[in-house]
Amino acid sequence: MSLALSTLLFEWRRYMAAVMALALSGLLVLAMTGVFIGIGKGFTAQIERSNADIMVLRPGATSLISGPSGVPRRFIPLVYNHAEVVEVQPLDGAGGSFQSVKDVDPTASQADRARQGAPRQQFVSARIIDTAPGSVTIPTDYSQALVDALRQPYTVAVDETALKTLGVKLGDKALYNGQTVTVIAVTRGYPNMMQPTIIMSRDTLRMLGQADTGPRVGPLMVKIKDPSRAAIVAAQLNAAGNGQWQAWTRQELADANAGAMFEEGILVIIIGGCVVLGTIIGVAITWQTLRGAIMANIKEFASLRALGVGMGSLRRIVMELSFWVGLVGVGAAIFLTWLVQMLAMANAVIIALPPSLLIVVGGGLVVIAMLSGLLSMGVLKNSQPADLLR
């Protein structure tokens, strides 16, 4: 075991402030970035968890978040021409006003409804599933009971995060664009952190008069025979489309959606501010902690110099010590972020932590620790062997 690692293990209390500074800096960046990525995943969760292996978007579309991505309806039979495609369904949806009303009577007059109580009105997004068994538009975590419930006319599902906002609970009736619907199910894991969303069947959307029957439809969700060949089939579809569409594998689109969140200027400013603040806090506290720890051990360093150890070796010891402090700080940051992630999940909030984010932030924390160690080297000048005689 090296001298630097032994020092950290046996005198860990002196370095705890530096470790916690790094951990809290990492937590700040990871949590903020993870929340914004989680918001994006909340928007696209129904697609990323669907049975679709490939998504077909308009050419030039970079994600489902940034701009329109629909295609002409005539593309559906063209995609079906591929021998490995077994199902193609357009992703349909709409939006409208949602009013929470207890036991709404659809035949009641406006005056009667007013006497029942003033409903709170919200604008909601409506998304659809096809209720046929194994449909490509059904998320993989939807139970058969949920699908069967949505098969009933004029029924909707609401995520638990939107219940309070919409003022409804399981079994309540409500007005969607003036027509009565019933909250037949409550979902979990599809957070509505910015705008409430309701889920209904394609048939219910058609009954409500909002089904897309025009020449253009939403992005196409494609299921193929062998999901492991998704990348190959997507490339073949792109070649066959001759630039008319852009086919993505589900994972490629998920990555593009996550990246699209950071194209928003305000998000970049917020995350950039967190990174700068975390770096300043991490460097300042880690530097001062390491400097104080070295000063506390200055006689030990002087003893090493008296034994013939050169200043270059002492500097390497300090840098190695900083490296180990950085690694411990990374571990503490990941652990604290995991605790926050579990707490957020218990409250139906997604904090997404892709491996690339952990690697980047972890590397940054190690760099901060090494920089702090570099700034602390000036203290070694005080390790004069003659001071041992005092």
Side-chain angles (χ1 to χ4, degrees):
M1 184 182 296
S2 67
L3 177 61
L5 184 56
S6 300
T7 302
L8 180 61
L9 290 176
F10 288 101
E11 300 188 20
W12 59 270
R13 292 179 181 83
R14 289 181 176 175
Y15 299 93
M16 183 55 64
V19 170
M20 290 308 300
L22 292 172
L24 293 177
S25 298
L27 172 63
L28 177 64
V29 177
L30 287 173
M32 290 297 295
T33 307
V35 164
F36 288 124
I37 296 178
I39 291 174
K41 286 189 174 294
F43 280 120
T44 60
Q46 185 181 359
I47 296 166
E48 294 179 10
R49 302 176 196 173
S50 71
N51 287 305
D53 303 304
I54 296 171
M55 295 287 296
V56 176
L57 282 61
R58 69 170 180 84
T62 57
S63 70
L64 289 172
I65 297 176
S66 54
S69 53
V71 297
R73 184 181 296 276
R74 59 185 175 84
F75 285 179
I76 296 178
L78 296 180
V79 176
Y80 262 121
N81 285 337
H82 195 287
E84 296 189 52
V85 172
V86 296
E87 184 181 0
V88 182
Q89 291 289 353
L91 182 64
D92 203 352
S97 63
F98 189 97
Q99 294 177 312
S100 170
V101 179
K102 306 298 182 182
D103 299 323
V104 174
D105 180 2
T107 63
S109 65
Q110 292 291 338
D112 292 335
R113 290 176 181 171
R115 282 194 295 272
Q116 292 177 6
R120 73 179 74 179
Q121 184 171 340
Q122 295 281 341
F123 185 85
V124 299
S125 296
R127 298 180 182 176
I128 64 94
I129 65 167
D130 294 284
T131 54
S135 174
V136 68
T137 56
I138 300 176
T140 54
D141 58 351
Y142 273 24
S143 66
Q144 187 58 47
L146 173 57
V147 176
D148 291 341
L150 290 175
R151 191 174 288 124
Q152 302 175 44
Y154 296 100
T155 57
V156 300
V158 179
D159 191 78
E160 61 181 357
T161 56
L163 292 176
K164 185 176 180 181
T165 302
L166 297 177
V168 294
K169 63 180 184 299
L170 182 63
D172 281 357
K173 294 184 181 295
L175 292 177
Y176 174 72
N177 282 349
Q179 300 189 62
T180 304
V181 295
T182 303
V183 180
I184 200 69
V186 176
T187 61
R188 180 178 176 82
Y190 295 82
N192 303 163
M193 289 182 280
M194 298 185 71
Q195 184 180 54
T197 299
I198 60 176
I199 306 296
M200 63 182 69
S201 69
R202 194 185 299 271
D203 292 332
T204 294
L205 187 67
R206 186 179 300 112
M207 294 174 187
L208 293 170
Q210 288 193 306
D212 193 349
T213 57
R216 294 190 67 85
V217 295
L220 303 182
M221 306 179 74
V222 182
K223 182 191 291 187
I224 62 176
K225 296 177 182 177
D226 184 2
S228 65
R229 287 177 50 82
I232 297 174
V233 175
Q236 292 172 348
L237 286 173
N238 285 329
N242 196 25
Q244 297 181 88
W245 61 61
Q246 177 67 38
W248 304 66
T249 65
R250 188 174 60 231
Q251 187 57 51
E252 288 174 345
L253 190 58
D255 295 340
N257 292 332
M261 290 297 299
F262 297 98
E263 294 178 1
E264 300 293 333
I266 185 62
L267 298 187
V268 174
I269 293 174
I270 293 174
I271 294 176
C274 291
V275 171
V276 172
L277 181 60
T279 301
I280 293 174
I281 293 174
V283 170
I285 298 179
T286 306
W287 169 33
Q288 292 300 315
T289 301
L290 289 175
R291 188 175 184 277
I294 294 171
M295 283 295 296
N297 291 327
I298 200 65
K299 289 188 177 181
E300 286 79 0
F301 283 106
S303 299
L304 290 174
R305 290 192 65 184
L307 294 173
V309 177
M311 284 293 292
S313 297
L314 295 183
R315 292 190 180 98
R316 284 193 295 271
I317 292 173
V318 171
M319 293 304 295
E320 184 184 350
L321 181 60
S322 303
F323 173 76
W324 288 116
V325 168
L327 283 188
V328 176
V330 170
I334 293 175
F335 176 71
L336 291 177
T337 306
W338 176 77
L339 291 179
V340 173
Q341 187 181 35
M342 293 299 101
L343 178 62
M345 190 177 298
N347 291 277
V349 176
I350 297 177
I351 296 182
L353 299 172
S356 57
L357 176 62
L358 296 178
I359 293 172
V360 170
V361 175
L365 293 179
V366 173
V367 170
I368 288 174
M370 299 290 283
L371 178 61
S372 301
L374 189 64
L375 294 173
S376 303
M377 283 188 181
V379 181
L380 291 176
K381 295 179 181 179
N382 297 325
S383 59
Q384 299 298 327
D387 291 339
L388 297 172
L389 303 175
R390 295 178 182 177

